[in-house]
Amino acid sequence: MKYDAGKKRAAQTREARSVQGSRFRILLSDAGLSLDEAAKHLHVTPRTIRYWVSGKVTVPYSAYKLLRVMRLFELPCKGWDGWYMHSGRLWSPEGHGFVPSDSNWWGLLVRKARLFEQMYEREGQFRALIDRMQGAGSDAATPVQGELARTDGGGAARPNDAVGRAA
């Protein structure tokens, strides 16, 4: 009885390897790869690829996944939904294409965005201060202008250029 169960399991695994092999062959044809080219991409021998395709040996999931990533069918992790690779570019869901050299500037882009955010925040504070000045009357305007003249964005003191204020 145990012997029959083992035969049944072996037949199922043989059938499963055959199905995996046929799927792997379809992947290779979709990617436009020959068996030799696939072997070079995966750093295995062409004989290994033939064994995978024929169903003699189980196709490792890592080989299947690596070919899908290398041939640009999918990106390797979650969070990249809608992004795809085509013609040597990474395409965003909005349709913007990025070449590899664009990534050299991403750090600068992030720093610039942060500086713009600080600049807009400072402008908002300045507008709020102007609104307070206009609401308080003209006699309160001179000290506030003096405070703005003495500091830059970082709060460091600079020469007082306010007119009519004592040094």
Side-chain angles (χ1 to χ4, degrees):
M1 185 95 174
K2 290 182 183 180
Y3 183 71
D4 292 339
K7 274 187 172 181
K8 193 175 192 179
R9 200 171 326 125
Q12 287 174 347
T13 57
R14 197 175 314 121
E15 186 179 315
R17 285 195 311 258
S18 174
V19 170
Q20 286 178 350
S22 63
R23 287 183 181 169
F24 192 69
R25 182 179 286 277
I26 291 170
L27 172 65
L28 292 178
S29 65
D30 286 347
L33 292 174
S34 68
L35 298 179
D36 292 335
E37 291 170 338
K40 286 180 185 176
H41 279 300
L42 296 173
H43 299 284
V44 296
T45 64
R47 178 185 294 174
T48 302
I49 299 291
R50 285 194 303 271
Y51 282 172
W52 290 347
V53 169
S54 70
K56 281 186 179 181
V57 179
T58 303
V59 179
Y61 176 74
S62 58
Y64 184 79
K65 184 75 170 180
L66 184 60
L67 265 185
R68 288 193 53 81
V69 170
M70 287 175 67
R71 296 310 291 179
L72 311 176
F73 292 129
E74 65 183 70
L75 294 172
C77 59
K78 293 180 182 174
W80 289 94
D81 298 333
W83 291 78
Y84 64 96
M85 306 278 294
H86 189 269
S87 304
R89 292 177 180 242
L90 173 65
W91 292 90
S92 71
E94 295 85 23
H96 301 287
F98 299 98
V99 294
S101 61
D102 289 344
S103 65
N104 297 338
W105 298 98
W106 288 348
L108 177 63
L109 179 68
V110 168
R111 287 194 305 270
K112 277 184 153 183
R114 193 174 299 129
L115 288 173
F116 275 117
E117 181 182 357
Q118 290 172 356
M119 186 176 73
Y120 289 138
E121 182 181 322
R122 188 169 161 204
E123 182 180 350
Q125 291 172 350
F126 180 71
R127 288 184 186 274
L129 198 57
I130 295 293
D131 290 344
R132 266 196 330 206
M133 274 183 4
Q134 289 174 350
S138 62
D139 47 317
T142 307
V144 173
Q145 286 176 351
E147 288 177 24
L148 286 176
R150 285 185 282 126
T151 61
D152 60 10
R158 63 179 191 176
N160 189 354
D161 54 3
V163 178
R165 183 172 169 145

